[in-house]
Amino acid sequence: MFIINSEPMNFTVSSSLLLDHLQKADGAIDANPTMAILQDFKFDVKGGKLEIRGTDLTTSVTTSLEVEHEGDFSFVVPAKILVNTLKATPEQPIDVQYDEENHRVTVTNSMGKYHMATGSIHEYPSLPQVEHAQKIQLPASILLEGLAKTVFATSTDQARRAMMGVYTIVEEGRLTLASTDAHKLVEFVFEDENIHGEADFILPKKGVNLVRSILDSGDEVTFQFNPQHAFFQFEETQVACKLIEANYPDYKNIIPKDNNTELSVNRNDFLQSLKRISIFTNESTRQVSLNLNEDSLTLIARDIDYSNDAKEQLACFYKGEPIQIAFNARFLLEMISVLDSDEIVFQINSPNRAVLVLPSEQNESQKLTMLIMPIII
């Protein structure tokens, strides 16, 4: 025999504030979930707070906000309907009432009432707990920078599962984030005496992008991790993600140590030129050639199939033998776009060996190394 709670179960909250928190949790929900219950949010109302959860089983977001409520209660509600309703609702106080007996939620605002059927709260999956976890504290700005400068270089190849995430190494006084798709490679190193512990693991791309979309650069982040999960706690929100179980390749052996010829060029000038030149590349190869002579850089693209070609010349600093080296324009654009220094440096050995791409100046506590494989001409 089931006992139905007869006490009032409702809360009042600002519509825009609720929507803001719903959109954070909604990022964890897949468009085509494997279980119907994963289309829902879980709401827990207790102690003057509403806790909202969204999950796809491997990635979860939990966020909380203050509400005025009667009774302590929990329910699940369809995410898409609720989010879309609030998007179309002007800012105002709304009342959300849960009817346990009839399994529905009623949202009331100044325009009317909206009823939604609720699912079974007993079917909603439990979330991973922070157990036996190591912990480090990081400025949000550092974490955001490191993730932004590495996640774009992760692989989309399901056959290379390990490379589909950001490889994370925690050492005494150092945090390293790295990624590669076999065409390009990025390593971001942050040194801080407050970093303690020893671990390495692979953060999945979805979890990384969720953290980037939710985290504010002014926050302080508590970053916890155990052998199965990573947890990012900031303000009233936690992102939890299941780690990728795979062995990451020994990427450090790929980074060349003898690229002694340097090309230095203005980053924005090079970026804008590359954007224009890339329009004329062949759609399959996306090849753009860099012709280097003393203090002269010529970018060339040619699509023989359609008789299209383009050429631009830039001022640069280059001392060395004339050389022609080619790259995939899309890969090169991705790399240059995440750099933020005024000047960039290409360290080159030969046209058929990996090239290092670096900011001209680096922060004492941060070091960024990028690598791109050339196209063999």
Side-chain angles (χ1 to χ4, degrees):
M1 176 177 172
F2 293 98
I3 299 175
I4 303 299
N5 190 344
S6 59
E7 294 181 1
M9 293 186 286
N10 70 287
F11 63 86
T12 304
V13 68
S14 153
S15 59
S16 59
L17 179 61
L18 179 58
L19 177 60
D20 179 61
H21 286 263
L22 290 178
Q23 288 177 316
K24 292 176 183 178
D26 193 44
I29 297 176
D30 276 347
N32 299 296
T34 55
M35 299 163 54
I37 197 70
L38 298 180
Q39 299 176 96
D40 297 344
F41 294 122
K42 183 185 178 188
F43 279 22
D44 291 299
V45 183
K46 185 178 182 181
K49 284 188 175 292
L50 163 64
E51 185 177 82
I52 303 168
R53 297 177 184 176
T55 184
D56 66 356
L57 295 182
T58 59
T59 308
S60 308
V61 175
T62 304
T63 185
S64 63
L65 65 157
E66 294 183 355
V67 295
E68 296 179 9
H69 68 93
E70 291 189 52
D72 296 343
F73 54 99
S74 301
F75 61 92
V76 294
V77 62
K80 185 176 181 180
I81 293 176
L82 183 56
V83 167
N84 287 341
T85 301
L86 290 177
K87 281 182 178 179
T89 301
E91 159 59 22
Q92 60 185 286
I94 61 170
D95 182 78
V96 180
Q97 185 171 31
Y98 174 47
D99 183 344
E100 186 176 17
E101 182 175 2
N102 294 305
H103 307 291
R104 74 175 186 175
V105 167
T106 301
V107 176
T108 304
N109 62 25
S110 62
M111 287 88 72
K113 294 178 181 288
Y114 314 89
H115 303 291
M116 288 163 272
T118 64
S120 171
I121 196 166
H122 304 293
E123 294 179 11
Y124 200 85
S126 58
L127 300 182
Q129 300 300 309
V130 183
E131 296 178 343
H132 311 295
Q134 298 184 58
K135 179 173 71 174
I136 58 176
Q137 298 285 136
L138 288 171
S141 57
I142 295 295
L143 182 62
L144 286 171
E145 182 177 359
L147 294 178
K149 284 180 165 56
T150 52
V151 70
F152 79 91
T154 55
S155 177
T156 57
D157 185 354
Q158 293 285 344
R160 293 173 165 174
R161 180 166 169 74
M163 294 159 61
M164 295 179 71
V166 175
Y167 185 45
T168 306
I169 307 170
V170 178
E171 304 167 280
E172 283 295 318
R174 177 180 296 176
L175 172 69
T176 301
L177 303 174
S179 60
T180 182
D181 62 1
H183 301 288
K184 53 189 181 292
L185 181 154
V186 184
E187 180 188 63
F188 176 87
V189 178
F190 172 62
E191 296 185 349
D192 190 303
E193 61 183 10
N194 296 314
I195 297 175
H196 304 290
E198 187 172 336
D200 65 286
F201 46 87
I202 307 170
L203 295 170
K205 183 184 295 187
K206 180 175 180 177
V208 167
N209 284 330
L210 267 175
V211 171
R212 292 182 61 210
S213 67
I214 299 172
L215 182 58
D216 186 276
S217 60
D219 292 339
E220 184 82 9
V221 185
T222 300
F223 181 19
Q224 300 182 82
F225 41 90
N226 59 31
Q228 290 78 40
H229 293 89
F231 306 86
F232 300 87
Q233 181 71 50
F234 38 90
E235 295 294 331
E236 70 284 339
T237 301
Q238 182 194 79
V239 177
C241 54
K242 191 176 189 304
L243 302 175
I244 295 175
E245 296 181 8
N247 294 320
Y248 207 81
D250 186 3
Y251 75 90
K252 289 183 180 291
N253 284 336
I254 303 170
I255 301 175
K257 305 294 191 295
D258 56 352
N259 286 18
N260 298 320
T261 303
E262 287 194 354
L263 159 69
S264 179
V265 64
N266 179 275
R267 187 192 75 89
N268 189 60
D269 290 348
F270 183 82
L271 179 62
Q272 298 307 318
S273 179
L274 187 58
K275 286 179 179 178
R276 293 187 293 268
I277 289 291
S278 65
I279 297 169
F280 293 83
T281 59
N282 180 277
E283 287 190 5
S284 60
T285 65
R286 304 288 292 170
Q287 178 176 313
V288 60
S289 296
L290 275 60
N291 285 14
L292 298 173
N293 288 283
E294 185 170 346
D295 294 340
S296 175
L297 166 62
T298 305
L299 285 76
I300 301 172
R302 184 175 291 112
D303 186 352
I304 298 174
D305 295 342
Y306 294 96
S307 300
N308 297 326
D309 65 86
K311 179 189 293 186
E312 288 193 19
Q313 191 165 0
L314 294 175
C316 68
F317 179 82
Y318 176 77
K319 303 296 182 186
E321 294 296 320
I323 190 173
Q324 182 182 38
I325 189 166
F327 301 101
N328 180 301
R330 180 170 65 85
F331 297 158
L332 198 52
L333 278 169
E334 288 175 336
M335 248 179 203
I336 305 304
S337 295
V338 301
L339 289 170
D340 46 26
S341 61
D342 292 336
E343 298 281 322
I344 52 174
V345 175
F346 291 80
Q347 293 184 347
I348 304 165
N349 181 287
S350 68
N352 59 355
R353 293 185 62 182
V355 171
L356 295 179
V357 184
L358 310 169
S360 58
E361 296 181 357
Q362 305 241 33
N363 189 299
E364 282 186 11
S365 63
Q366 300 172 41
K367 183 181 179 183
L368 180 68
T369 303
M370 294 184 169
L371 175 153
I372 186 168
M373 298 300 298
I375 297 174
I376 305 303
I377 300 174

